[in-house]
């Protein structure tokens, strides 16, 4: 459901919906067929796409810290910690390693209008969400750079533009998409 008059809210809601959908389907997404001895036979079928499962967990692990930051800054309750599985890092920090991504996404959607007005949204949160969505689309085989972006990169490269300039222009184009 798209709400609000600020296009950034709708853009954010679409992103969160895309990530929620990806986290749900990635573990069962069909793997690419591998021919030859390493491809296994009919009896070696695995019902879980391990790469997809790892990426679904990564999506969850990206969303949870943003929920924590929003809750802290906004002064609201964060999502129930039991919605996530947790692991302690060697430095003693607890990180989410998976869980109920749909509920985490629902919590973020409820705070969308507030989130898009934060100063860190454009510079920190949006690029991180874009990157994990790019990975998900790449694993599912449904993403390729838009023709206009490819043409721009070729044009910049031909004009002698630096790789940093190309990355900045590409980031700006993705943000506008």
């Amino acid at each position: 459901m798209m709400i609000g008059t600020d296009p950034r809210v709708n853009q954010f809601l679409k992103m969160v919906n895309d990530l929620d959908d990806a986290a749900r389907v990635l573990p069962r997404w069909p793997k690419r067929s591998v021919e030859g001895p390493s491809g296994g036979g009919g009896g070696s079928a695995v019902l879980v796409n391990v790469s997809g499962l790892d990426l679904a967990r990564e999506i969850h692990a990206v969303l949870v810290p943003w929920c924590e930051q929003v809750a802290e800054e906004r002064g609201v309750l964060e999502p129930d910690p039991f919605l996530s599985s947790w692991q302690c890092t060697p430095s003693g920090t607890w990180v989410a390693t998976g869980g109920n991504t749909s509920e985490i996404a629902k919590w973020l959607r409820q705070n969308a209008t507030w989130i898009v007005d934060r100063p860190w949204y454009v510079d920190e949160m949006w690029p991180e969400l874009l990157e994990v969505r790019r990975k998900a689309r790449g694993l599912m085989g449904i993403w390729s750079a838009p023709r206009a972006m490819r043409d721009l990169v070729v044009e910049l490269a031909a004009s002698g533009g630096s790789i940093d300039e190309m990355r900045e222009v590409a980031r700006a184009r993705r943000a506008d998409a």
Side-chain angles (χ1 to χ4, degrees):
M1 178 170 125
M2 301 289 189
I3 61 169
T5 57
D6 187 341
R8 296 174 306 156
V9 173
N10 290 338
Q11 185 181 42
F12 177 75
L13 291 172
K14 181 178 181 339
M15 172 66 76
V16 171
N17 289 340
D18 287 352
L19 293 173
D20 182 20
D21 291 343
R24 192 173 26 264
V25 301
L26 278 169
R28 294 179 302 284
W29 194 261
K31 294 181 281 190
R32 292 189 176 102
S33 298
V34 178
E35 298 296 326
S38 64
S44 67
V46 177
L47 299 177
V48 174
N49 181 334
V50 177
S51 298
L53 180 60
D54 289 344
L55 189 51
R57 288 178 177 164
E58 181 180 344
I59 290 169
H60 187 87
V62 164
L63 296 179
V64 168
W66 286 113
C67 292
E68 292 170 345
Q69 182 170 339
V70 169
E72 181 180 327
E73 288 185 20
R74 192 163 189 198
V76 297
L77 288 175
E78 62 188 51
D80 189 337
F82 289 109
L83 293 173
S84 301
S85 52
W86 299 87
Q87 185 174 11
C88 188
T89 65
S91 66
T93 304
W94 286 91
V95 294
T97 59
N100 189 337
T101 306
S102 290
E103 286 298 315
I104 298 299
K106 177 181 174 184
W107 192 93
L108 284 168
R109 284 190 294 268
Q110 291 169 347
N111 291 280
T113 303
W114 187 88
I115 289 170
V116 300
D117 283 332
R118 297 303 93 197
W120 41 257
Y121 172 69
V122 171
D123 295 329
E124 297 171 37
M125 184 181 199
W126 185 253
E128 188 173 16
L129 298 179
L130 267 176
E131 178 60 19
V132 75
R133 185 179 70 178
R134 182 196 62 75
K135 288 180 184 179
R137 287 180 171 180
L139 185 64
M140 293 188 290
I142 58 173
W143 187 86
S144 65
R147 182 172 178 79
M149 188 182 301
R150 289 190 309 264
D151 292 347
L152 180 63
V153 170
V154 169
E155 179 184 328
L156 279 170
S159 69
S162 73
I163 190 74
D164 289 331
E165 290 172 327
M166 286 184 251
R167 284 184 181 138
E168 285 304 313
V169 170
R171 275 191 204 105
R173 289 282 172 104
R174 282 194 309 263
D176 290 340

